[in-house]
Amino acid sequence: MKTKEIQGKMPQVEKTPVTRRLQDKLNYDELSNCMRCGFCLPACPTYRETGREASSPRGRIALMKAAVDGHLQNGKQLEDQLNQCLGCRACEPACPAGVKYGELLEQARDALEDHARHKVWVRVLRRFFFHFLFPHPKRLRWLGRLLIIYQKTGLQWLLRKLGFLKLLPSYLREMEAVMPAAASKGVAEQLGNFIPAQGKKKGTVGLFRGCVMDVLFTETNINTVTLLSEAGFDVVIPPQQTCCGALHAHSGEREMARSLARQNIQAFKQREVDYIVSNAGGCGALLQEYEHLLEDECEAKEARWFSERVKDISELLLDHGPVEKWGTLEARITYQASCHLQNVMQVKEQPRQLLRQIKGATYVELFEADRCCGSAGIYNLTQPEMSARILDEKMKHVRATKADILVTSNPGCLLQMKAGIQRAGLSDHMKAIHVVDLLAEVRQKGESRY
Amino acid sequence: MRRITGEIRAKLIEAAGVSAYFDDEESLLSHSYDATPMLQAMPEAVIYAQSTNQVSAVLKICHQYEIPVYTRGAASNLCGGTVPVHGGVVLVTTRMNRLLEIDEENLTATFETGLTTKALHQAVEAKGLFYPPDPGSMLVSTLGGNIAQCAGGLRGLKYGTTKDYVIGLTAVLPNGEVIHTGGKLMKDVAGYDLTKLLVGSEGTLAVITEATVKLLPKPQATSVMLAYFDDMYAAARTVSKIIAARIIPSTLEFMDHGTILVVEDYAKIGLPTDMKAILLIGQDGHPAVVEEDMEKMRAICMEEAREIKVAKDMREAEELMTARRSALSALARLKPTTILEDATVPRSQIATMVEKIAEIGAKYNVRICTFGHAGDGNLHPTCMTDARDQDEIERVEEAFEEIFAAALELGGTITGEHGVGIVKAPFLEWKVGPAGIEVMKGIKRAFDPKNILNPGKMFAGQTRKRVVINR
């Protein structure tokens, strides 16, 4: 009765190559699972910024479904909406029906990628990062060396002094300003591929060192190894591992992501590890989803073996870290969650609990700490305007915490927070740091005391 | 109905502003639905309202040219109330979301109606005050939507529903005239009560742009417990006994056997799956009264319940509440399409109604679980189905038709808090009778002679014949 009354009000349009590709790639069951209750709306950062239904998860799913059902003529707007999505996946925990939005987003982006009409500079950036750089640790290392030359020879100082950087768009300038010092040697080159447990051995951990992480945040990787070893784990760093593929998967390059996943699974499969530990929420989340990324393939079993072992560093440290031996830190600390760490890996409380355990420190909860900071992989480069709006909102709440230290658990978020602190003029009062680095600092203080 | 021509479009853009008027494909598609399954229709334009004056300007044009106007908040309603079935303009209120005033001397709050219900709760609770209506969708639903549909919620039994709190409105009539009804007055009998008339009018009489509601002091203490029953009638008798003992609990929620199975399977919170019914019972108010009432209710439950769990503190209370809150999530995950219905009976008839629903579900071979507000008789028989299975959907629709008939036979109604919209329109006459329908249509004509506001809703082209289908 009611269904028949309404039908015919929806336009039926000719299928285009784009809508056909969407039809092939999108999981129709998952699209149907969205019951349009709207519970995802308040969770979505771009909905809150724009107030537009089409910029919400419910709206985006409706557009995807309309494309598949033949109600949508023009794929361009859908593409724009998908590009505008941060992929923070805050909508997933909010969804009563458990719709796997992240999966739909990846499938849709994958389908649209072939028809993508990126701006030239976006295309160049994508090719450079996704294909040329991230999958190749050696090239990354070389880039790191170039960065060191830039940073250490005075070239950076000179360019800044001469005002050359003012030629860059403001968001790139902000990122340049907070770029950490690159390291010429990665964690394995500095510590070796096997670091034994201190004291009684509790198990073996494989370190997922990441790609950019190991060049720009080598110190964090080293601290991760040290903390794990102190906590009683043998740490192995399989040399054949590569980039996790998260940025690829999120940007519609699923084939590339699959191939990277296979390489990582093989790298770790050769070692008898109890856990595979990541210190970057964005990477860890995709590592945990390898099982689903490769679900149609014969490697599914191995992928499951891999995914089941993936843990965030904070989980292991909370359960096994010798917190009681750590030193004190008189500071006011707050925490910005990594979206993928909390929404996909479901790691919410562990980093907070670790911070609360630091003696002498006052932990203060950041309002809407669970809301995306706007970094979102390379989103802050591809969608600078929306990213900046979200960041400015975030920094208002950060300022209100009056914290001395802003802790994050993902490198992208860390850079974004550093840029945000500078942008908000808070550099004199506050620093941003990775949770692992803060704990390592606390630990060293402890050592000097004992 | 007229279409939006180039000339009308230009006038609407002038009235609304370029940044508020959309008629691109993406905007139209994303305003073609609400939270009601299987209903969708394309509007011709979407306008994001900014102010009462602007709504007035838009309505004047739509009235002149007889363009349909569908007012929409967060579109979380479950009766098709905001689906633009005749095209025209979808008027979105979410940008009108300012909390204008919390008056601590008069205990009232005044706001623009695009404000979300949760935001009002947070703001008034921060001042030690309390706005009781708490529909399940309050995180997202707008107060305008709550008012238009007269939303209820878990606290309806003790505190009443939206209509018991709205005391003043600013509304724009279909011809663009602005009216103000009521005010910050606890007593006001000047003329017909237009405030009450507009509450629950489902966007068919006027566009409500501002509202004043009364507030209560925030209860000092709350406490909850769960009682498990291995017989539905035992649970229902317990509800009656609690009411008969002159206790009005703040929460008296119910889950049937089917819901228990699904919730436990999903949430793994240790619910006993061999039980036929669970009651979630809560009280709020002065700590001494809460303690006394909870003790009395515990004693009443002990007479027939298999087991009782009382929360020791707020954290445990939250855990118990999770069971009830998980119901929708758990049911929604089972099958692609979830049809959450809203039949209501006098509370003495709950057990009979729940049994009836189970029988009807079995008869039509469709899976229906029931949970809801036992205290006020508002049940949510919820069907897990798949919109793509046309044969099953037809059986579902027949089953629900029979469920509504059963509710009416028990002295109940076809909807307790979701509204009539499109979904219940064919059944409205069953409840209010032909004379009732005529009075309602007369009111509609008085407000909206050209029938431009939310046309196609509330009044069906044809009333369903009230015969029980036997297959």
Side-chain angles (χ1 to χ4, degrees), chain A residues 338-350:
Chain A
S338 145
C339 293
H340 285 92
L341 185 63
Q342 64 163 6
N343 298 328
V344 185
M345 294 182 82
Q346 313 286 337
V347 176
K348 288 180 200 147
E349 282 307 309
Q350 291 88 335

Side-chain angles (χ1 to χ4, degrees), chain A residues 1-2 6 9 11 28-29 32-33 36-38 51-54 58-59 62 72-74 77 81 95-98, chain B residues 22 24-27 29-30 33-35 38-40 42 48 72 74-76 85 136 140 329 332-333 336 388 397:
Chain A
M1 48 168 197
K2 54 197 180 194
I6 305 304
K9 292 278 177 186
Y28 198 76
D29 283 341
S32 309
N33 281 340
R36 304 181 190 143
C37 63
R52 304 228 12 225
E53 174 77 22
R58 177 173 69 174
L72 180 86
Q73 182 94 58
N74 185 347
Q77 287 184 316
Q81 276 310 337
C95 176
Chain B
F22 298 93
D24 57 294
E25 194 184 18
E26 164 198 54
S27 298
L29 264 168
S30 59
Y33 52 79
D34 57 26
M38 300 181 295
L39 290 180
Q40 204 165 2
M42 286 287 263
Y48 285 85
R72 163 176 149 147
S76 56
V85 281
V140 48
S329 304
R333 280 161 204 247
R388 291 165 287 184
E397 287 177 350

Side-chain angles (χ1 to χ4, degrees), chain A residues 371-405:
Chain A
R371 192 166 274 269
C372 181
C373 64
S375 167
I378 53 167
Y379 186 91
N380 48 4
L381 302 180
T382 57
Q383 303 277 334
E385 197 194 326
M386 181 66 78
S387 171
R389 277 165 72 177
I390 292 168
L391 179 60
D392 288 344
E393 166 93 15
K394 174 67 66 187
M395 295 320 289
K396 266 199 310 207
H397 303 313
V398 168
R399 183 193 293 272
T401 63
K402 297 195 171 70
D404 310 303
I405 302 175

Side-chain angles (χ1 to χ4, degrees), chain B residues 253-306:
Chain B
E253 295 291 303
F254 160 83
M255 256 196 258
D256 76 348
H257 181 60
T259 313
I260 297 169
L261 288 180
V262 177
V263 168
E264 180 52 25
D265 191 46
Y266 158 65
K268 307 263 188 300
I269 43 182
L271 297 181
T273 49
D274 54 336
M275 290 292 142
K276 288 288 180 288
I278 291 181
L279 291 178
L280 173 70
I281 303 165
Q283 183 58 297
D284 63 8
H286 188 278
V289 175
V290 170
E291 199 178 322
E292 193 187 316
D293 280 356
M294 288 300 282
E295 186 43 50
K296 279 189 199 161
M297 290 194 283
R298 204 177 65 86
I300 293 169
C301 288
M302 291 282 273
E303 292 171 20
E304 297 200 64
R306 169 82 73 80

Side-chain angles (χ1 to χ4, degrees), chain B residues 446-469:
Chain B
F447 274 83
D448 184 14
K450 291 184 173 178
N451 191 26
I452 63 162
L453 275 188
N454 214 0
K457 311 297 167 65
M458 192 102 81
F459 307 108
Q462 228 181 350
T463 294
R464 298 286 290 177
K465 273 208 241 151
R466 196 167 162 184
V467 282
V468 176
I469 302 136

Side-chain angles (χ1 to χ4, degrees), chain B residues 22-241:
Chain B
F22 298 93
D23 55 7
D24 57 294
E25 194 184 18
E26 164 198 54
S27 298
L28 300 184
L29 264 168
S30 59
H31 292 83
S32 64
Y33 52 79
D34 57 26
T36 320
M38 300 181 295
L39 290 180
Q40 204 165 2
M42 286 287 263
E44 293 170 85
V46 176
I47 294 175
Y48 285 85
Q50 324 269 359
S51 66
T52 303
N53 283 344
Q54 196 202 44
V55 170
S56 165
V58 168
L59 283 185
K60 273 182 187 147
I61 296 163
C62 291
H63 191 253
Q64 185 190 344
Y65 295 102
E66 297 185 24
I67 304 294
V69 177
Y70 294 88
T71 316
R72 163 176 149 147
S76 56
N77 84 85
L78 292 161
C79 67
T82 54
V83 178
V85 281
H86 292 297
V89 172
V90 170
L91 188 65
V92 187
T93 60
T94 51
R95 282 191 189 169
M96 292 195 298
N97 58 8
R98 286 180 304 159
L99 176 54
L100 301 170
E101 183 194 38
I102 296 175
D103 183 341
E104 294 186 67
E105 287 180 10
N106 285 309
L107 292 191
T108 62
T110 302
F111 45 79
E112 293 181 326
T113 47
L115 187 72
T116 65
T117 316
K118 181 80 182 173
L120 178 67
H121 280 182
Q122 284 170 339
V124 301
E125 280 168 30
K127 292 185 184 290
L129 295 168
F130 185 45
Y131 175 68
D134 60 342
S137 57
M138 67 177 177
L139 197 64
V140 48
S141 62
T142 63
L143 286 151
N146 288 182
I147 293 168
Q149 304 294 120
C150 190
L154 268 61
R155 299 196 276 241
L157 161 65
K158 179 170 178 177
Y159 292 102
T161 60
T162 303
K163 67 173 183 286
D164 301 305
Y165 293 88
V166 178
I167 53 176
L169 293 172
T170 297
V172 185
L173 298 177
N175 63 8
E177 299 270 3
V178 178
I179 58 167
H180 303 279
T181 75
K184 291 181 184 176
L185 302 162
M186 296 303 136
K187 288 183 174 175
D188 180 5
V189 292
Y192 293 140
D193 192 344
L194 296 180
T195 311
K196 284 275 192 292
L197 180 59
L198 289 179
V199 177
S201 63
E202 304 191 14
T204 60
L205 301 182
V207 178
I208 301 165
T209 54
E210 284 177 24
T212 300
V213 296
K214 66 178 175 187
L215 304 173
L216 301 179
K218 192 173 158 191
Q220 292 165 20
T222 55
S223 181
V224 298
M225 66 181 168
L226 281 181
Y228 304 142
F229 297 86
D230 44 15
D231 168 15
M232 172 97 63
Y233 283 92
R237 275 194 298 274
T238 303
V239 172
S240 304
K241 281 185 199 165

